[in-house]
mmCIF file of all heavy atoms in Angstrom:
data_model
loop_
_atom_site.group_PDB
_atom_site.id
_atom_site.type_symbol
_atom_site.label_atom_id
_atom_site.label_comp_id
_atom_site.label_asym_id
_atom_site.label_seq_id
_atom_site.Cartn_x
_atom_site.Cartn_y
_atom_site.Cartn_z
ATOM 1 N N VAL A 90 -50.659 58.911 40.951
ATOM 2 C CA VAL A 90 -50.410 59.206 39.538
ATOM 3 C C VAL A 90 -48.909 59.163 39.253
ATOM 4 O O VAL A 90 -48.446 58.507 38.311
ATOM 5 C CB VAL A 90 -50.984 60.576 39.148
ATOM 6 C CG1 VAL A 90 -50.662 60.894 37.691
ATOM 7 C CG2 VAL A 90 -52.491 60.625 39.383
ATOM 8 N N ALA A 91 -48.138 59.872 40.078
ATOM 9 C CA ALA A 91 -46.682 59.909 39.892
ATOM 10 C C ALA A 91 -46.088 58.515 39.964
ATOM 11 O O ALA A 91 -45.214 58.147 39.165
ATOM 12 C CB ALA A 91 -46.049 60.822 40.942
ATOM 13 N N ASN A 92 -46.567 57.720 40.906
ATOM 14 C CA ASN A 92 -46.066 56.367 41.101
ATOM 15 C C ASN A 92 -46.402 55.470 39.916
ATOM 16 O O ASN A 92 -45.633 54.573 39.562
ATOM 17 C CB ASN A 92 -46.649 55.790 42.390
ATOM 18 C CG ASN A 92 -46.068 54.436 42.747
ATOM 19 O OD1 ASN A 92 -44.870 54.292 42.940
ATOM 20 N ND2 ASN A 92 -46.929 53.430 42.836
ATOM 21 N N ALA A 93 -47.559 55.712 39.289
ATOM 22 C CA ALA A 93 -47.940 54.927 38.110
ATOM 23 C C ALA A 93 -47.050 55.263 36.915
ATOM 24 O O ALA A 93 -46.775 54.403 36.083
ATOM 25 C CB ALA A 93 -49.407 55.188 37.767
ATOM 26 N N ILE A 94 -46.605 56.507 36.849
ATOM 27 C CA ILE A 94 -45.722 56.927 35.755
ATOM 28 C C ILE A 94 -44.281 56.535 36.044
ATOM 29 O O ILE A 94 -43.564 56.044 35.168
ATOM 30 C CB ILE A 94 -45.832 58.453 35.534
ATOM 31 C CG1 ILE A 94 -47.258 58.836 35.134
ATOM 32 C CG2 ILE A 94 -44.833 58.916 34.471
ATOM 33 C CD1 ILE A 94 -47.505 60.337 35.092
ATOM 34 N N GLU A 95 -43.855 56.735 37.296
ATOM 35 C CA GLU A 95 -42.467 56.472 37.683
ATOM 36 C C GLU A 95 -42.446 55.878 39.089
ATOM 37 O O GLU A 95 -42.372 56.598 40.089
ATOM 38 C CB GLU A 95 -41.660 57.777 37.635
ATOM 39 C CG GLU A 95 -40.211 57.635 38.025
ATOM 40 C CD GLU A 95 -39.504 56.485 37.336
ATOM 41 O OE1 GLU A 95 -39.143 56.636 36.171
ATOM 42 O OE2 GLU A 95 -39.326 55.423 37.979
ATOM 43 N N PRO A 96 -42.516 54.524 39.202
ATOM 44 C CA PRO A 96 -42.635 53.881 40.518
ATOM 45 C C PRO A 96 -41.508 54.194 41.497
ATOM 46 O O PRO A 96 -41.719 54.139 42.709
ATOM 47 C CB PRO A 96 -42.661 52.387 40.161
ATOM 48 C CG PRO A 96 -43.162 52.336 38.760
ATOM 49 C CD PRO A 96 -42.616 53.560 38.096
ATOM 50 N N ALA A 97 -40.320 54.532 41.006
ATOM 51 C CA ALA A 97 -39.199 54.790 41.905
ATOM 52 C C ALA A 97 -39.399 56.030 42.769
ATOM 53 O O ALA A 97 -38.658 56.245 43.725
ATOM 54 C CB ALA A 97 -37.903 54.923 41.106
ATOM 55 N N VAL A 98 -40.408 56.857 42.455
ATOM 56 C CA VAL A 98 -40.645 58.065 43.237
ATOM 57 C C VAL A 98 -40.954 57.733 44.691
ATOM 58 O O VAL A 98 -40.662 58.506 45.606
ATOM 59 C CB VAL A 98 -41.784 58.908 42.603
ATOM 60 C CG1 VAL A 98 -43.132 58.252 42.781
ATOM 61 C CG2 VAL A 98 -41.806 60.311 43.174
ATOM 62 N N LEU A 99 -41.528 56.567 44.928
ATOM 63 C CA LEU A 99 -41.997 56.205 46.265
ATOM 64 C C LEU A 99 -40.870 56.153 47.283
ATOM 65 O O LEU A 99 -41.075 56.467 48.471
ATOM 66 C CB LEU A 99 -42.719 54.854 46.195
ATOM 67 C CG LEU A 99 -43.590 54.456 47.383
ATOM 68 C CD1 LEU A 99 -44.707 55.463 47.591
ATOM 69 C CD2 LEU A 99 -44.155 53.059 47.167
ATOM 70 N N GLN A 100 -39.666 55.781 46.870
ATOM 71 C CA GLN A 100 -38.571 55.622 47.819
ATOM 72 C C GLN A 100 -38.140 56.942 48.451
ATOM 73 O O GLN A 100 -37.508 56.944 49.512
ATOM 74 C CB GLN A 100 -37.384 54.949 47.139
ATOM 75 C CG GLN A 100 -36.699 55.794 46.071
ATOM 76 C CD GLN A 100 -35.683 55.009 45.253
ATOM 77 O OE1 GLN A 100 -35.651 53.786 45.296
ATOM 78 N NE2 GLN A 100 -34.843 55.727 44.512
ATOM 79 N N ASN A 101 -38.487 58.054 47.838
ATOM 80 C CA ASN A 101 -38.109 59.368 48.376
ATOM 81 C C ASN A 101 -39.192 59.983 49.247
ATOM 82 O O ASN A 101 -39.014 61.091 49.760
ATOM 83 C CB ASN A 101 -37.791 60.330 47.233
ATOM 84 C CG ASN A 101 -36.463 60.046 46.568
ATOM 85 O OD1 ASN A 101 -36.207 58.925 46.141
ATOM 86 N ND2 ASN A 101 -35.606 61.049 46.472
ATOM 87 N N CYS A 102 -40.312 59.293 49.418
ATOM 88 C CA CYS A 102 -41.488 59.883 50.062
ATOM 89 C C CYS A 102 -41.583 59.570 51.548
ATOM 90 O O CYS A 102 -41.493 58.405 51.962
ATOM 91 C CB CYS A 102 -42.763 59.390 49.376
ATOM 92 S SG CYS A 102 -42.954 59.974 47.678
ATOM 93 N N ILE A 103 -41.797 60.611 52.335
ATOM 94 C CA ILE A 103 -42.134 60.488 53.756
ATOM 95 C C ILE A 103 -43.601 60.865 53.891
ATOM 96 O O ILE A 103 -44.009 61.966 53.502
ATOM 97 C CB ILE A 103 -41.255 61.408 54.618
ATOM 98 C CG1 ILE A 103 -39.793 60.947 54.559
ATOM 99 C CG2 ILE A 103 -41.752 61.443 56.065
ATOM 100 C CD1 ILE A 103 -38.821 61.923 55.193
ATOM 101 N N PHE A 104 -44.392 59.966 54.435
ATOM 102 C CA PHE A 104 -45.833 60.186 54.551
ATOM 103 C C PHE A 104 -46.119 60.821 55.905
ATOM 104 O O PHE A 104 -45.929 60.209 56.947
ATOM 105 C CB PHE A 104 -46.578 58.869 54.349
ATOM 106 C CG PHE A 104 -46.455 58.372 52.933
ATOM 107 C CD1 PHE A 104 -45.328 57.656 52.550
ATOM 108 C CD2 PHE A 104 -47.425 58.668 51.994
ATOM 109 C CE1 PHE A 104 -45.184 57.232 51.234
ATOM 110 C CE2 PHE A 104 -47.281 58.246 50.686
ATOM 111 C CZ PHE A 104 -46.163 57.520 50.299
ATOM 112 N N CYS A 105 -46.543 62.069 55.850
ATOM 113 C CA CYS A 105 -46.541 62.897 57.050
ATOM 114 C C CYS A 105 -47.718 62.635 57.985
ATOM 115 O O CYS A 105 -47.566 62.738 59.193
ATOM 116 C CB CYS A 105 -46.507 64.372 56.649
ATOM 117 S SG CYS A 105 -44.932 64.819 55.857
ATOM 118 N N HIS A 106 -48.870 62.329 57.435
ATOM 119 C CA HIS A 106 -50.009 62.078 58.326
ATOM 120 C C HIS A 106 -51.073 61.270 57.603
ATOM 121 O O HIS A 106 -51.051 61.138 56.375
ATOM 122 C CB HIS A 106 -50.607 63.395 58.835
ATOM 123 C CG HIS A 106 -51.490 64.100 57.844
ATOM 124 N ND1 HIS A 106 -52.856 64.253 58.022
ATOM 125 C CD2 HIS A 106 -51.213 64.696 56.669
ATOM 126 C CE1 HIS A 106 -53.363 64.924 56.999
ATOM 127 N NE2 HIS A 106 -52.394 65.205 56.161
ATOM 128 N N GLN A 107 -51.973 60.708 58.396
ATOM 129 C CA GLN A 107 -53.149 60.025 57.849
ATOM 130 C C GLN A 107 -54.331 60.960 57.945
ATOM 131 O O GLN A 107 -54.741 61.368 59.028
ATOM 132 C CB GLN A 107 -53.438 58.731 58.620
ATOM 133 C CG GLN A 107 -54.662 57.986 58.102
ATOM 134 C CD GLN A 107 -54.893 56.699 58.853
ATOM 135 O OE1 GLN A 107 -54.017 55.830 58.912
ATOM 136 N NE2 GLN A 107 -56.057 56.569 59.467
ATOM 137 N N SER A 108 -54.863 61.320 56.796
ATOM 138 C CA SER A 108 -55.993 62.246 56.749
ATOM 139 C C SER A 108 -57.246 61.617 57.342
ATOM 140 O O SER A 108 -57.426 60.397 57.331
ATOM 141 C CB SER A 108 -56.254 62.648 55.295
ATOM 142 O OG SER A 108 -57.479 63.344 55.170
ATOM 143 N N ASP A 109 -58.137 62.461 57.827
ATOM 144 C CA ASP A 109 -59.434 62.006 58.310
ATOM 145 C C ASP A 109 -60.421 61.806 57.159
ATOM 146 O O ASP A 109 -61.526 61.338 57.368
ATOM 147 C CB ASP A 109 -60.010 63.024 59.310
ATOM 148 C CG ASP A 109 -61.023 62.406 60.257
ATOM 149 O OD1 ASP A 109 -60.820 61.253 60.663
ATOM 150 O OD2 ASP A 109 -62.023 63.075 60.581
ATOM 151 N N GLU A 110 -60.016 62.176 55.949
ATOM 152 C CA GLU A 110 -60.858 61.975 54.770
ATOM 153 C C GLU A 110 -60.945 60.481 54.445
ATOM 154 O O GLU A 110 -59.940 59.767 54.425
ATOM 155 C CB GLU A 110 -60.282 62.738 53.578
ATOM 156 C CG GLU A 110 -61.005 62.522 52.270
ATOM 157 C CD GLU A 110 -62.395 63.145 52.218
ATOM 158 O OE1 GLU A 110 -62.772 63.881 53.167
ATOM 159 O OE2 GLU A 110 -63.106 62.906 51.232
ATOM 160 N N ALA A 111 -62.167 60.017 54.214
ATOM 161 C CA ALA A 111 -62.362 58.605 53.896
ATOM 162 C C ALA A 111 -61.511 58.220 52.706
ATOM 163 O O ALA A 111 -61.415 58.936 51.724
ATOM 164 C CB ALA A 111 -63.835 58.346 53.599
ATOM 165 N N GLY A 112 -60.879 57.096 52.786
ATOM 166 C CA GLY A 112 -60.068 56.598 51.685
ATOM 167 C C GLY A 112 -58.576 56.745 51.891
ATOM 168 O O GLY A 112 -57.805 55.952 51.345
ATOM 169 N N HIS A 113 -58.147 57.724 52.671
ATOM 170 C CA HIS A 113 -56.705 57.929 52.782
ATOM 171 C C HIS A 113 -56.007 56.770 53.483
ATOM 172 O O HIS A 113 -54.920 56.336 53.072
ATOM 173 C CB HIS A 113 -56.386 59.244 53.496
ATOM 174 C CG HIS A 113 -54.953 59.647 53.351
ATOM 175 N ND1 HIS A 113 -54.220 60.181 54.392
ATOM 176 C CD2 HIS A 113 -54.093 59.589 52.292
ATOM 177 C CE1 HIS A 113 -52.990 60.437 53.972
ATOM 178 N NE2 HIS A 113 -52.893 60.084 52.703
#
């Protein structure tokens, strides 16, 4: 949602883990 509103947010993001929930 945040990325759709303001795409530049992605450059500050560290993705900490891959969830076991389907889809992640």
Side-chain angles (χ1 to χ4, degrees):
V90 177
N92 186 60
I94 298 172
E95 180 48 78
V98 71
L99 195 61
Q100 68 190 14
N101 286 53
C102 293
I103 294 171
F104 292 83
C105 293
H106 78 113
Q107 179 178 303
S108 169
D109 203 37
E110 175 70 7
H113 193 221

